[in-house]
Amino acid sequence: TATTTGQLNIIASTNATTGVAGIYQESSLTAANAGIFNFGNRHIVTVAPAVSSSFVGEFVRMLDNTSNLVNTVRALELQAWSGTNASGSNTGLWTAGRTFGVQAFSNGTAGGVFKPAAVYAEIDNATQGQALRLYSKSISSSSQDIAEFYNEISTFNGTGLKMSFAQNNGTFTGDFIRLLRGSTVALNINATGTLMIGTSTMYSTSTMLQVCATTNCSLPTASNTVAVFASHDSTTAG
């Protein structure tokens, strides 16, 4: 029914298993030609105000006033991984914006199950993929950054960047940090805390600082090593 607040009003409720209180829709996209677009739904909103204002193309609000219930509440859930096709690009959410592609905010008040975060990313594959990937092919200005950690006004006593691996009986034998210029390693910190500058090949001790020439080094010889600081037997007595 059309009202002053909308042209279509649906007021309903459900308590059934996988119940739907609003609109249930099934569509089939059956493109006959390659390279075309099909849409399950398409909504175009034109913003043309006379004065500066705020506009939202789609608004969803979840109200959870229950007490002492460990609920899972998602304002919007998108799934693109159903089916068996593992080729091509399968994306749950694709966004683009003139200022922010994605802007996330959390007031940090719901920490009963997880530690609050404005952005949470998780990968569930043992052989490929990253939980977070930052990429660009067009950054050229010296004032641009691939990533920036920024804090202001408040007193900050925490850690700017924390990496905590091998938790809960896990194992970690990789690298905390590996910085490369092209394919050449410039700085590497491995799982034992060894810091290697100019090489990713560790010398014979497990914890040390190794500084190498630009051609890299694997052994502490005069011809290719600037400096090596280490215990010769990986103990505090060495």
Side-chain angles (χ1 to χ4, degrees):
T1 58
T3 69
T4 57
T5 58
Q7 297 305 303
L8 175 65
N9 278 17
I10 299 176
I11 300 175
S13 64
T14 181
N15 61 2
T17 302
T18 66
V20 178
I23 298 174
Y24 176 82
Q25 173 182 310
E26 288 191 15
S27 303
S28 297
L29 306 180
T30 57
N33 299 308
I36 66 174
F37 275 94
N38 286 165
F39 300 91
N41 289 297
R42 187 174 182 182
H43 184 196
I44 298 176
V45 179
T46 300
V47 179
V51 295
S52 298
S53 303
S54 298
F55 304 94
V56 179
E58 198 79 27
F59 179 77
V60 178
R61 173 182 288 168
M62 304 291 291
L63 299 177
D64 184 2
N65 295 318
T66 57
S67 178
N68 299 322
L69 296 179
V70 184
N71 298 329
T72 298
V73 179
R74 299 187 178 104
L76 183 64
E77 179 172 335
L78 306 174
Q79 293 186 7
W81 60 3
S82 298
T84 59
N85 185 9
S87 303
S89 176
N90 190 282
T91 304
L93 175 64
W94 190 94
T95 71
R98 290 181 179 271
T99 303
F100 303 114
V102 175
Q103 183 177 5
F105 172 83
S106 172
N107 62 12
T109 57
V113 177
F114 299 106
K115 183 185 296 184
V119 176
Y120 172 81
E122 179 178 347
I123 181 73
D124 187 17
N125 189 290
T127 58
Q128 66 178 349
Q130 297 93 30
L132 177 64
R133 181 186 305 171
L134 307 178
Y135 167 79
S136 175
K137 63 179 180 180
S138 60
I139 286 181
S140 59
S141 172
S142 60
S143 63
Q144 292 178 287
D145 306 297
I146 293 291
E148 179 182 3
F149 299 87
Y150 185 80
N151 176 71
E152 65 177 358
I153 301 175
S154 68
T155 299
F156 178 47
N157 295 314
T159 303
L161 178 62
K162 180 185 292 185
M163 301 182 192
S164 181
F165 304 138
Q167 297 290 329
N168 298 322
N169 298 320
T171 59
F172 172 52
T173 57
D175 297 316
F176 284 102
I177 296 176
R178 174 169 288 200
L179 308 181
L180 300 92
R181 181 176 182 178
S183 58
T184 302
V185 177
L187 184 145
N188 196 89
I189 303 176
N190 67 11
T192 65
T194 292
L195 170 60
M196 293 163 282
I197 302 175
T199 181
S200 60
T201 303
M202 187 178 68
Y203 186 49
S204 58
T205 57
S206 61
T207 303
M208 65 177 180
L209 166 64
Q210 181 170 320
V211 183
C212 295
T214 55
T215 56
N216 286 8
C217 60
S218 58
L219 295 174
T221 62
S223 62
N224 56 18
T225 302
V226 177
V228 173
F229 301 91
S231 167
H232 78 286
D233 59 359
S234 299
T235 69
T236 58

